[in-house]
Amino acid sequence: MAIDLGTGDGAAVLQRARREPTTLAIGVDPVASAMAETSARAARRADRGGLPNALFAVTSVEQLPPELANRADEVTVILPWGSLLDGIVGADPAVVGSMAALLRPGGRLEIVVSSVPRDGHRPLDAAGLAAAFRAFDVTSLETRAVTLPELRALGSTWAKRLRAGTPERPATRLRFRRTSR
Ligand SMILES: C[S@@+](CC[C@H](N)C(=O)[O-])C[C@H]1O[C@@H](n2cnc3c(N)ncnc32)[C@H](O)[C@@H]1O
């Protein structure tokens, strides 16, 4: 199972569901209207391009359904904003714990964050975030700058709109893994 949290229009979910037909790809976002078109496309008959392995849930990181807990092989959070971004850059234990709870033992988490002063959010504290995740048995694997073409390859629609991963809006890719025990 792969969960894209803060999926926006859900393009990354369709991309993954198409690429990995045996993976259940779930998009989560509190804004239903943004996911409506991709959700309708996924619900078409398979011979009309439908993707029975793609699902969308209208909810937020603050209210994730317990059915998703301990199930995800991979969780992605690409260019979050709002309270999801605040929770990540501020290493809020409630938000960090909620994301960590999605992962099965050995599961991976990938977060791409861009927070520049004009956004009005705090800058990313990567070390603080890694420490917060460690408290939930999730360890940091890598933290590095990411480019716009890499973000496009991840299926992000907003990367291009924001020009994330360019000198005017640097973006950071953080990868984590939940310990296996
Ligand atoms: C800039 S968009 C990025 C969408 C997509 N990941 C992409 O890269 O194209 C940020 C998304 O974060 C979602 N978001 C904001 N607060 C959230 C929260 N508390 N829980 C889950 N998603 C949230 C927004 O609704 C929005 O769709």
Side-chain angles (χ1 to χ4, degrees), residues 135-163:
F136 295 96
D137 286 335
V138 175
T139 53
S140 171
L141 300 176
E142 182 187 36
T143 300
R144 68 171 173 87
V146 67
T147 64
L148 179 55
E150 285 175 284
L151 281 170
R152 296 285 290 155
L154 292 175
S156 170
T157 300
W158 275 91
K160 192 173 171 197
R161 284 190 210 166
L162 294 170
R163 296 196 44 74

Short mmCIF file of all heavy atoms in Angstrom, two decimals, residues 135-163:
data_model
loop_
_atom_site.label_atom_id
_atom_site.label_comp_id
_atom_site.label_asym_id
_atom_site.label_seq_id
_atom_site.Cartn_x
_atom_site.Cartn_y
_atom_site.Cartn_z
N ALA A 135 11.45 9.34 17.84
CA ALA A 135 10.60 8.99 18.99
C ALA A 135 9.49 8.02 18.60
O ALA A 135 8.87 7.39 19.46
CB ALA A 135 10.00 10.26 19.59
N PHE A 136 9.23 7.90 17.29
CA PHE A 136 8.20 6.97 16.80
C PHE A 136 8.83 5.80 16.03
O PHE A 136 8.18 5.20 15.17
CB PHE A 136 7.19 7.71 15.91
CG PHE A 136 6.39 8.74 16.66
CD1 PHE A 136 6.78 10.07 16.66
CD2 PHE A 136 5.27 8.37 17.39
CE1 PHE A 136 6.04 11.03 17.35
CE2 PHE A 136 4.53 9.31 18.10
CZ PHE A 136 4.92 10.65 18.08
N ASP A 137 10.10 5.51 16.30
CA ASP A 137 10.81 4.39 15.65
C ASP A 137 10.94 4.58 14.14
O ASP A 137 10.94 3.61 13.38
CB ASP A 137 10.11 3.05 15.92
CG ASP A 137 10.35 2.58 17.34
OD1 ASP A 137 11.36 2.99 17.93
OD2 ASP A 137 9.52 1.81 17.85
N VAL A 138 11.04 5.83 13.71
CA VAL A 138 11.23 6.13 12.28
C VAL A 138 12.57 6.86 12.15
O VAL A 138 12.76 7.91 12.77
CB VAL A 138 10.07 6.98 11.74
CG1 VAL A 138 10.32 7.40 10.30
CG2 VAL A 138 8.74 6.21 11.84
N THR A 139 13.49 6.28 11.37
CA THR A 139 14.83 6.85 11.32
C THR A 139 15.08 7.56 9.98
O THR A 139 14.57 7.15 8.93
CB THR A 139 15.92 5.77 11.49
OG1 THR A 139 15.67 4.74 10.54
CG2 THR A 139 15.89 5.18 12.88
N SER A 140 15.89 8.58 10.05
CA SER A 140 16.22 9.37 8.86
C SER A 140 17.25 8.63 8.01
O SER A 140 18.24 8.12 8.53
CB SER A 140 16.79 10.72 9.32
OG SER A 140 17.29 11.42 8.21
N LEU A 141 17.00 8.57 6.69
CA LEU A 141 17.95 7.93 5.77
C LEU A 141 18.73 8.95 4.97
O LEU A 141 19.90 8.76 4.67
CB LEU A 141 17.19 7.03 4.78
CG LEU A 141 16.35 5.88 5.34
CD1 LEU A 141 15.61 5.18 4.20
CD2 LEU A 141 17.23 4.90 6.08
N GLU A 142 18.07 10.03 4.59
CA GLU A 142 18.71 11.00 3.68
C GLU A 142 17.98 12.34 3.74
O GLU A 142 16.75 12.39 3.86
CB GLU A 142 18.61 10.46 2.24
CG GLU A 142 19.28 11.31 1.20
CD GLU A 142 19.01 10.82 -0.22
OE1 GLU A 142 17.90 10.33 -0.51
OE2 GLU A 142 19.92 10.97 -1.04
N THR A 143 18.76 13.41 3.67
CA THR A 143 18.19 14.76 3.53
C THR A 143 19.02 15.47 2.47
O THR A 143 20.23 15.59 2.62
CB THR A 143 18.30 15.55 4.86
OG1 THR A 143 17.58 14.85 5.87
CG2 THR A 143 17.72 16.96 4.72
N ARG A 144 18.37 15.91 1.41
CA ARG A 144 19.15 16.59 0.36
C ARG A 144 18.26 17.52 -0.45
O ARG A 144 17.03 17.38 -0.45
CB ARG A 144 19.83 15.58 -0.55
CG ARG A 144 18.90 14.78 -1.42
CD ARG A 144 19.67 13.96 -2.44
NE ARG A 144 18.80 13.07 -3.19
CZ ARG A 144 18.15 13.40 -4.29
NH1 ARG A 144 18.25 14.62 -4.79
NH2 ARG A 144 17.38 12.53 -4.92
N ALA A 145 18.91 18.42 -1.17
CA ALA A 145 18.17 19.33 -2.05
C ALA A 145 17.61 18.54 -3.22
O ALA A 145 18.19 17.54 -3.66
CB ALA A 145 19.10 20.42 -2.55
N VAL A 146 16.47 18.96 -3.71
CA VAL A 146 15.83 18.27 -4.82
C VAL A 146 15.54 19.30 -5.93
O VAL A 146 15.31 20.48 -5.66
CB VAL A 146 14.54 17.56 -4.32
CG1 VAL A 146 13.48 18.54 -3.88
CG2 VAL A 146 13.98 16.61 -5.35
N THR A 147 15.59 18.83 -7.18
CA THR A 147 15.41 19.74 -8.32
C THR A 147 13.99 19.63 -8.88
O THR A 147 13.28 18.64 -8.65
CB THR A 147 16.40 19.40 -9.44
OG1 THR A 147 16.09 18.08 -9.92
CG2 THR A 147 17.85 19.43 -8.95
N LEU A 148 13.62 20.64 -9.65
CA LEU A 148 12.29 20.64 -10.28
C LEU A 148 12.05 19.40 -11.15
O LEU A 148 11.00 18.77 -11.02
CB LEU A 148 12.09 21.94 -11.07
CG LEU A 148 10.77 22.11 -11.80
CD1 LEU A 148 9.56 21.96 -10.88
CD2 LEU A 148 10.70 23.47 -12.49
N PRO A 149 12.99 18.99 -12.00
CA PRO A 149 12.73 17.78 -12.80
C PRO A 149 12.50 16.54 -11.92
O PRO A 149 11.65 15.70 -12.23
CB PRO A 149 14.01 17.61 -13.65
CG PRO A 149 14.59 18.99 -13.71
CD PRO A 149 14.24 19.66 -12.42
N GLU A 150 13.22 16.44 -10.80
CA GLU A 150 12.99 15.29 -9.90
C GLU A 150 11.58 15.35 -9.32
O GLU A 150 10.91 14.33 -9.17
CB GLU A 150 14.00 15.30 -8.75
CG GLU A 150 15.39 14.87 -9.13
CD GLU A 150 16.34 15.02 -7.95
OE1 GLU A 150 16.74 16.16 -7.65
OE2 GLU A 150 16.65 14.00 -7.32
N LEU A 151 11.14 16.56 -8.98
CA LEU A 151 9.80 16.71 -8.42
C LEU A 151 8.73 16.38 -9.45
O LEU A 151 7.71 15.77 -9.13
CB LEU A 151 9.60 18.14 -7.92
CG LEU A 151 10.25 18.40 -6.57
CD1 LEU A 151 10.24 19.88 -6.24
CD2 LEU A 151 9.49 17.64 -5.50
N ARG A 152 8.96 16.76 -10.69
CA ARG A 152 8.01 16.43 -11.75
C ARG A 152 7.91 14.91 -11.90
O ARG A 152 6.83 14.37 -12.10
CB ARG A 152 8.45 17.05 -13.07
CG ARG A 152 8.45 18.57 -13.06
CD ARG A 152 7.08 19.17 -13.13
NE ARG A 152 6.47 18.99 -14.45
CZ ARG A 152 5.16 18.98 -14.66
NH1 ARG A 152 4.33 19.12 -13.67
NH2 ARG A 152 4.68 18.82 -15.89
N ALA A 153 9.06 14.24 -11.78
CA ALA A 153 9.07 12.78 -11.92
C ALA A 153 8.28 12.10 -10.79
O ALA A 153 7.78 10.99 -10.97
CB ALA A 153 10.51 12.26 -11.95
N LEU A 154 8.16 12.77 -9.65
CA LEU A 154 7.39 12.21 -8.55
C LEU A 154 5.89 12.40 -8.76
O LEU A 154 5.08 11.96 -7.95
CB LEU A 154 7.78 12.88 -7.22
CG LEU A 154 9.18 12.60 -6.68
CD1 LEU A 154 9.44 13.44 -5.43
CD2 LEU A 154 9.32 11.12 -6.34
N GLY A 155 5.51 13.07 -9.84
CA GLY A 155 4.09 13.26 -10.14
C GLY A 155 3.49 14.49 -9.51
O GLY A 155 2.27 14.62 -9.45
N SER A 156 4.33 15.41 -9.01
CA SER A 156 3.82 16.62 -8.37
C SER A 156 3.32 17.62 -9.40
O SER A 156 4.06 18.04 -10.29
CB SER A 156 4.93 17.28 -7.54
OG SER A 156 4.51 18.56 -7.10
N THR A 157 2.07 18.02 -9.28
CA THR A 157 1.50 19.06 -10.14
C THR A 157 1.97 20.43 -9.66
O THR A 157 2.27 21.33 -10.45
CB THR A 157 -0.04 19.00 -10.09
OG1 THR A 157 -0.46 17.72 -10.56
CG2 THR A 157 -0.65 20.09 -10.95
N TRP A 158 2.05 20.59 -8.34
CA TRP A 158 2.36 21.90 -7.78
C TRP A 158 3.82 22.30 -7.93
O TRP A 158 4.15 23.49 -7.85
CB TRP A 158 1.93 21.96 -6.31
CG TRP A 158 0.49 22.34 -6.22
CD1 TRP A 158 -0.58 21.49 -6.19
CD2 TRP A 158 -0.04 23.67 -6.22
NE1 TRP A 158 -1.75 22.21 -6.16
CE2 TRP A 158 -1.45 23.55 -6.17
CE3 TRP A 158 0.52 24.93 -6.26
CZ2 TRP A 158 -2.29 24.66 -6.16
CZ3 TRP A 158 -0.32 26.04 -6.24
CH2 TRP A 158 -1.70 25.90 -6.19
N ALA A 159 4.70 21.35 -8.15
CA ALA A 159 6.13 21.69 -8.28
C ALA A 159 6.34 22.72 -9.37
O ALA A 159 7.06 23.71 -9.20
CB ALA A 159 6.93 20.43 -8.57
N LYS A 160 5.68 22.50 -10.51
CA LYS A 160 5.87 23.41 -11.65
C LYS A 160 5.25 24.78 -11.34
O LYS A 160 5.84 25.82 -11.58
CB LYS A 160 5.26 22.80 -12.91
CG LYS A 160 5.64 23.52 -14.16
CD LYS A 160 5.15 22.78 -15.37
CE LYS A 160 5.34 23.62 -16.62
NZ LYS A 160 4.52 23.12 -17.72
N ARG A 161 4.04 24.76 -10.78
CA ARG A 161 3.36 26.02 -10.45
C ARG A 161 4.17 26.86 -9.48
O ARG A 161 4.25 28.08 -9.60
CB ARG A 161 2.01 25.73 -9.80
CG ARG A 161 0.98 25.30 -10.78
CD ARG A 161 -0.38 25.28 -10.10
NE ARG A 161 -1.20 24.26 -10.71
CZ ARG A 161 -2.34 23.80 -10.20
NH1 ARG A 161 -2.79 24.27 -9.07
NH2 ARG A 161 -3.02 22.88 -10.83
N LEU A 162 4.77 26.20 -8.50
CA LEU A 162 5.52 26.93 -7.47
C LEU A 162 6.96 27.20 -7.88
O LEU A 162 7.67 27.94 -7.22
CB LEU A 162 5.54 26.10 -6.17
CG LEU A 162 4.20 25.90 -5.45
CD1 LEU A 162 4.36 24.87 -4.33
CD2 LEU A 162 3.69 27.21 -4.89
N ARG A 163 7.40 26.54 -8.96
CA ARG A 163 8.81 26.54 -9.37
C ARG A 163 9.68 26.02 -8.21
O ARG A 163 10.76 26.54 -7.93
CB ARG A 163 9.27 27.92 -9.87
CG ARG A 163 8.54 28.34 -11.15
CD ARG A 163 9.17 29.46 -11.91
NE ARG A 163 10.62 29.37 -12.08
CZ ARG A 163 11.25 28.54 -12.90
NH1 ARG A 163 10.56 27.68 -13.64
NH2 ARG A 163 12.56 28.56 -12.98
#
